[in-house]
Amino acid sequence: MEAFKYSLLGSLSHEIKEIISEHSIFSVTDELGRIEYVNNDYCEILEQDANMLIGETHELLKSHLHANKVYADLWRTIKAGEKWNGILSDSSYTGKQFWLDATIIPIKNKLDKTISYVGVYNDVTKYHLQNIQLQERNSIHLKYKSIYESINAGIIVVADNEGNIIEWNKGAEIAFGYSKVEIIGYPLTILINKKIRNIKQLLRTINKTQNSENVNTIEMVCMRKNGEEFPVEFTLNTLNVNGTVFYSAVVLDITRRKKAEEELKEKTKNLELFLYRISHDLKAPFSTAEGLLDLLKNEEKSERIESLTSMLETTIKGGDKLIKSLSEASINSCSKDEFEQIDFNNIIKNVLKMFSGSKNFELFEVNIDVDKCQSYNSNPELLCSIFQNLIHNAIKYSKKPTKKHVPCINISVKELRGEVFISVSDNGQGISESDVEKIFDLYYRSAHENIPGNGLGLYIVKNIIENLKGKISVKSVINKGTRFRIKLPILK
């Protein structure tokens, strides 16, 4: 067999020998496409022994009857006695697909009849796969770039690792007033207020805000081409594509929302003044009712007198609560501008004393952890109202004490990095998910119809906190409890 092989190779022309010596993968096939010779490198790529291949049909060359355009062209070319070159694909014995840059040359005898074909191959699998991936990426890129650029409902800006704008959608063009030609290549920070000069400073600002507020999206001010500023919700994502860093900014214009919030604040302010007047106007008739009650108590007792007395006591008691709630709801409008240093321990102690007579309160476990916040100045009446409402809620929505369940209220006050953090939590009935988003609304009450209340408490709390430039959040699980978290800035 080896003698046959070398004899065959010896009969090849000098040109063919040079080609074979320059390439490591080659084969010899007869005029019908049956393999007569393959070298070791060819065996390796097919993952088969040469003895298994000799005499078999050359799968790589397929058949001259094959309908595929590539093979139809290949056989038409070599049958015409011409050299063919192109990319051919096949699978190894274990199923691994490979691609070869193939050159097929017809070998003729002295009678000018083709007696065999020499195939010389270069393994280009690695480059072919890379090319396929690149084509797919380009196809996806072109597809999504077209979609992305046509979006005008959202504002999307992409910047390179130095913070220079490289992509710009229709929404961004409408919002900022620059055309794509005008903005590409300019720093992303050209769109943001002048205090932020480069991408590193922008990232620091975003990270600082996100760490302190635990949010993914921050509010900031952007600037149009004409110099007009407008409020936005701003999200900046870092993308790593094949080792290259890009920044994707998603921006939402919230001008309308801010305007609506300002209008609501003005309405709320007017409502507070209205509540304040109502609370004062209601005091007179209830004072008259109290006087009438005193007179009735001095009358000779009878069933009718006792009935009237009971009715008046209930009415006055309810009226006192309503007047107090209305007064608290308007406390922001009539509170003093003069602040003083706050003693949180003293405020909490006094509030708890107010509730000491509440039903089963002696069975409550109250845990207090308060830092000395020596640098925090505010109005003690406002702080007292916050704790009073939150602790009252914890008591009101507690679960009945049993041998297995002890009602618990945890109160924490900490000062950290120029802010005061307050937490009031309980292990009570909890608030349903559908109610959580509404509990701060005016006059909103939860589904606990059997529990008395007027729906003003948490509205008052939120109002006070926002007037103190703070924020409040709540997390609750039904039958496990509720936690209110408050953040108040220490104003210089």
Side-chain angles (χ1 to χ4, degrees), residues 49-212:
D49 187 80
N51 292 328
M52 300 293 293
L53 295 170
I54 301 299
E56 297 296 325
T57 303
H58 201 318
E59 285 297 318
L60 185 65
L61 302 184
K62 304 296 182 187
S63 163
H64 64 281
L65 300 175
H66 203 282
N68 184 289
K69 288 183 179 180
V70 173
Y71 292 101
D73 176 66
L74 184 156
W75 281 98
R76 183 172 56 252
T77 303
I78 60 177
K79 276 184 171 295
E82 298 176 4
K83 180 177 71 173
W84 182 91
N85 178 255
I87 303 295
L88 298 177
S89 177
D90 199 3
S91 297
S92 69
Y93 183 75
T94 60
K96 294 178 183 177
Q97 191 170 11
F98 58 85
W99 284 264
L100 299 177
D101 183 2
T103 301
I104 312 298
I105 304 170
I107 304 298
K108 299 182 179 182
N109 60 15
K110 294 178 181 179
L111 301 175
D112 202 31
K113 180 183 178 183
T114 300
I115 57 172
S116 60
Y117 301 100
V118 171
V120 183
Y121 315 99
N122 183 27
D123 186 358
V124 293
T125 303
K126 176 182 175 181
Y127 307 106
H128 188 79
L129 290 174
Q130 287 176 348
N131 188 46
I132 290 174
Q133 290 173 354
L134 182 61
Q135 287 177 351
E136 288 176 351
R137 282 201 300 267
N138 286 341
S139 175
I140 292 169
H141 174 73
L142 290 172
K143 176 183 175 182
Y144 286 101
K145 183 178 179 182
S146 175
I147 296 172
Y148 152 81
E149 288 181 343
S150 67
I151 295 172
N152 55 21
I155 304 169
I156 308 171
V157 184
V158 179
D160 61 18
N161 61 343
E162 294 182 356
N164 297 321
I165 298 169
I166 58 173
E167 291 290 352
W168 176 266
N169 80 326
K170 191 69 177 176
E173 184 176 317
I174 294 169
F176 291 102
Y178 294 96
S179 68
K180 191 170 183 178
V181 174
E182 289 176 309
I183 201 67
I184 295 298
Y186 279 87
L188 177 62
T189 50
I190 196 175
L191 308 174
I192 302 164
N193 61 27
K194 296 177 182 178
K195 294 179 182 178
I196 299 175
R197 298 180 180 178
N198 54 56
I199 192 70
K200 290 182 180 179
Q201 191 177 354
L202 175 60
L203 287 168
R204 284 197 299 269
T205 302
I206 291 171
N207 290 334
K208 184 179 178 182
T209 305
Q210 288 176 341
N211 291 336
S212 64

Side-chain angles (χ1 to χ4, degrees), residues 241-259:
V241 181
N242 296 328
T244 303
V245 175
F246 296 91
Y247 299 100
S248 173
V250 180
V251 185
L252 177 65
D253 187 342
I254 56 173
T255 303
R256 289 184 181 179
R257 192 181 82 192
K258 283 294 182 182
K259 186 178 179 181

